[in-house]
Amino acid sequence: TAAAIAFGYEQRPTGSVGVVVDLGGGTFDVTVMEYDGHNLNVRAPGGDAYLGGANFDKLLFDHFVDEFRKAHGLDINDPDALSLEEFTLASQDWLARANRAKHDLTARDRTAVALQVGGLTHRVQLTRQTFLDLSRVLLDEMTEKMVDVVATGGVSPKDVGVVLAVGGSTRIPAVRQRIQDIFGTLPDTSVRPDEAVALGSALFAAQ
């Protein structure tokens, strides 16, 4: 709701239906809103409390594990392969690199990730297409949730006039493409995804 308040505050659409798609670090929220000038009516909320940007990071992490095992025969998830300290340090580092790779692939078509553990090194080449292929299961889950919430709101995707993307992970090109596939329009990004909730909350407080 806060994100919806932030959208088009000065020139908010009247008599239209909007959908807020919020893909944060750990959750996925979808809300169908009715806009009537400065008044907002929530028609249907929904989503998935266990789906977020971290899930995309984990997909890349698992890909790193597979690629490293193919290159060196070492599976870092094997409890006998590394000490607990080595595994902890490696997994934290690889997850951080997965997060950076996700960001890189948002801006460009390919990136490379250097992985190290147990004195071994492997460089993984990643393309945006590979990331898309890995992410299809999550994208399908998102699609199902968006369609369900819109149906619960008593409207069809073609009735939606405004789609607002909130949360840093909505910058992923494949996520925006899925939104466009459903609603026939790209999400509005006039409000920065990372700031929309804070901005809307401030505007609500000011009112």
Side-chain angles (χ1 to χ4, degrees), residues 60-77 82 90 94 113-124:
L60 286 174
F61 174 86
D62 291 341
H63 179 66
F64 294 167
V65 171
D66 288 341
E67 292 298 303
F68 201 90
R69 178 181 50 77
K70 292 174 185 176
H72 294 294
L74 174 64
D75 182 351
I76 71 167
N77 287 327
L82 302 169
W94 289 17
V113 181
L115 305 172
Q116 294 182 334
V117 67
L120 301 171
T121 302
H122 181 57
R123 190 174 182 84
V124 176

Side-chain angles (χ1 to χ4, degrees), residues 18 30 38-39 50 63 65 67 81 94 96-97 128 135 146-147 151-152 154-155 171 174 176-177 189 192 200 203:
V30 183
H38 288 304
N39 296 318
Y50 301 99
H63 179 66
V65 171
E67 292 298 303
W94 289 17
R97 292 175 187 271
R128 184 180 287 179
S135 303
M146 286 187 280
V147 171
T152 301
V155 296
R171 288 191 171 94
R176 294 189 175 182
Q177 185 60 52
T189 55
R192 287 174 58 86
L203 289 169

Side-chain angles (χ1 to χ4, degrees), residues 22-29 48-59 102 131 138 141-142 168-170 172 175:
D22 183 353
L23 183 62
T27 61
F28 178 56
D29 299 294
D48 190 331
Y50 301 99
L51 173 59
N55 297 81
F56 289 87
D57 296 347
K58 183 61 166 56
L59 287 175
K102 178 182 69 178
F131 183 38
L138 299 180
E141 288 181 31
M142 290 178 56
S169 293
T170 56
I172 298 172
V175 170

Side-chain angles (χ1 to χ4, degrees), residues 8 13 28 40 42 44 48 68 73 78-79 89 111-112 127-128 130 132 138 148-149 163 172 187 197:
F28 178 56
L40 293 170
V42 177
D48 190 331
F68 201 90
D78 183 347
L89 291 174
T111 189
T127 64
R128 184 180 287 179
T130 299
L132 171 62
L138 299 180
D148 285 349
V149 175
V163 183
I172 298 172
V197 172

